[in-house]
Amino acid sequence: MSRNTYSFKVDEEKAIQIINFYDYCSIANNNENIRFKAATPDFRLTVYNNLTVLIQGNNAVNEYAIWQTTENFIEHAGSDEVGVGDYFGPIVVAAAIVKKEDFAFLDELGVKDSKKLTDEKILEIAPAIKKRLKMKISVISNNKYNQVYTGKHYNLNKIKAYLHNFTLAKLIEDTNFTGPIIIDQFCERELYYRYLKDYKAPIVVENVSFYIKAESQFLAVAAASIVARYEFLQRLKEIEKELNIKIIKGAGTEVDIMAFKLVKKYGEDVLKKYSKYNFANTKKVRELLKK
Ligand code: MG
């Protein structure tokens, strides 16, 4: 699977897109057949005048994966997390593998624009994605989150790192996948691996690539993002049933008021069970209670 050289044809528009994208690592070029050259320690990229793009090097596959289309699609794995900005509800991480034969299926569902999909649409299409792709999902309940978070030296990025690695490790163990793996970037790569070391994670998935807004470039990340959101919404529904209230998403002022009402009804322990207790919302609820 792991090749070191990839070449593909592009049109003028794509060529400009690629040249702009790699501007940060462009290098001098004296060859008149070559329009643009870029290099990092991990890969070298060349755009020829005839609109052929060549990518070489140890990490070539990851760069190639960015520019994949139906014609030059590459199987890849990706993961994303949901719930980190919501006071109520768990954190969910999903990881998925997308193969060439899944491309048309996912394209038709509109997976590529995952960030634009409404919750209604996600509820509609996620079950089909879950059924089709090789996936793993990890959920950290609020109870568990609050236990972990009160421990020393924990922060949200550490919890995310642990969950991404754990979920990807399970996926890879199950499938023996050896292709490129992409995480939607939430911290620097170096920091991610340091967190895993701190945690003494029993299995560390190596050679993971990080991209900002990866869900718009990698179908596996987009699919993971949709399914993670779906799971998150399912958990919220359960919480709504248990508390007999409509949960407001996010962490804004309306959430404080809702949380205040819940504490009045059930006592403060309700927050330990259903919210991310370390959020500033808890403090605001206490202030409301004093009034
Ligand atoms: Mg993300």
Side-chain angles (χ1 to χ4, degrees):
M1 177 76 211
S2 204
R3 281 161 52 192
N4 285 332
T5 301
Y6 292 86
S7 87
F8 53 101
K9 280 278 193 182
V10 292
D11 58 16
E12 178 61 23
E13 194 186 332
K14 195 65 159 270
I16 292 169
Q17 225 182 324
I18 291 172
I19 289 167
N20 288 336
F21 186 86
Y22 293 104
D23 185 50
Y24 75 96
C25 59
S26 65
I27 56 168
N29 159 41
N30 302 318
N31 185 330
E32 58 181 25
N33 296 319
I34 290 172
R35 182 157 159 192
F36 176 81
K37 274 167 98 170
T40 74
D42 294 325
F43 67 90
R44 297 181 305 286
L45 175 135
T46 310
V47 181
Y48 290 89
N49 288 341
N50 68 2
L51 297 175
T52 300
V53 178
L54 179 69
I55 307 176
Q56 296 163 295
N58 288 336
N59 231 348
V61 67
N62 293 305
E63 299 309 311
Y64 179 66
I66 301 179
W67 307 104
Q68 57 188 298
T69 61
T70 324
E71 294 78 43
N72 63 14
F73 186 80
I74 186 149
E75 184 178 328
H76 63 284
S79 61
D80 200 5
E81 82 284 336
V82 165
V84 291
D86 296 272
Y87 185 51
F88 284 94
I91 292 177
V92 183
V93 170
I97 294 170
V98 173
K99 296 180 177 183
K100 193 180 172 93
E101 55 265 35
D102 302 317
F103 187 97
F105 168 80
L106 295 173
D107 205 33
E108 203 159 300
L109 289 178
V111 168
K112 196 124 203 222
D113 289 317
S114 64
K115 274 278 162 345
K116 290 181 201 148
L117 297 177
T118 60
D119 284 346
E120 287 68 34
K121 187 76 186 167
I122 282 171
L123 290 171
E124 186 191 317
I125 67 174
I129 297 170
K130 266 176 84 174
K131 212 169 153 194
R132 168 101 188 195
L133 302 184
K134 288 261 186 297
M135 297 200 79
K136 290 287 172 199
I137 299 157
S138 305
V139 180
I140 182 159
S141 69
N142 292 103
N143 233 338
K144 183 81 190 162
Y145 171 92
N146 291 328
Q147 279 170 26
V148 171
Y149 215 98
T150 49
K152 264 186 188 161
H153 312 304
Y154 283 98
N155 67 44
L156 195 51
N157 276 350
K158 273 195 188 183
I159 294 172
K160 283 193 219 174
Y162 180 83
L163 278 179
H164 273 273
N165 178 68
F166 177 77
T167 314
L168 285 166
K170 276 203 298 184
L171 182 67
I172 285 159
E173 192 191 316
D174 245 40
T175 57
N176 295 317
F177 181 75
T178 57
I181 302 165
I182 299 105
I183 293 180
D184 184 33
Q185 182 157 338
F186 57 87
C187 71
E188 292 297 327
R189 186 176 193 274
E190 207 179 286
L191 207 52
Y192 171 83
Y193 280 108
R194 204 188 309 154
Y195 289 151
L196 295 181
K197 223 174 163 182
D198 289 353
Y199 258 119
K200 299 187 175 65
I203 303 165
V204 174
V205 179
E206 304 286 355
N207 295 323
V208 169
S209 293
F210 291 79
Y211 285 92
I212 293 167
K213 292 191 183 133
E215 73 283 346
S216 60
Q217 290 187 60
F218 299 96
L219 274 177
V221 179
S225 163
I226 289 167
V227 170
R229 180 83 187 161
Y230 174 80
E231 291 300 322
F232 176 78
L233 293 171
Q234 298 300 107
R235 299 296 166 125
L236 276 195
K237 269 191 209 164
E238 286 169 21
I239 295 174
E240 286 180 339
K241 250 194 219 160
E242 285 175 40
L243 296 178
N244 196 22
I245 194 170
K246 178 102 185 96
I247 295 285
I248 300 166
K249 294 169 200 126
T253 312
E254 287 177 358
V255 175
D256 298 336
I257 294 162
M258 183 190 69
F260 164 74
K261 285 181 191 159
L262 281 174
V263 170
K264 283 212 120 178
K265 194 168 167 190
Y266 298 103
E268 198 171 320
D269 277 356
V270 76
L271 298 182
K272 286 184 184 153
K273 192 167 174 198
Y274 297 104
S275 83
K276 299 183 185 80
Y277 201 64
N278 69 305
F279 276 30
N281 302 78
T282 304
K283 217 175 133 195
K284 286 181 190 145
V285 171
R286 289 212 186 104
E287 279 161 17
L288 287 172
L289 286 166
K290 275 185 215 153
K291 280 180 189 168

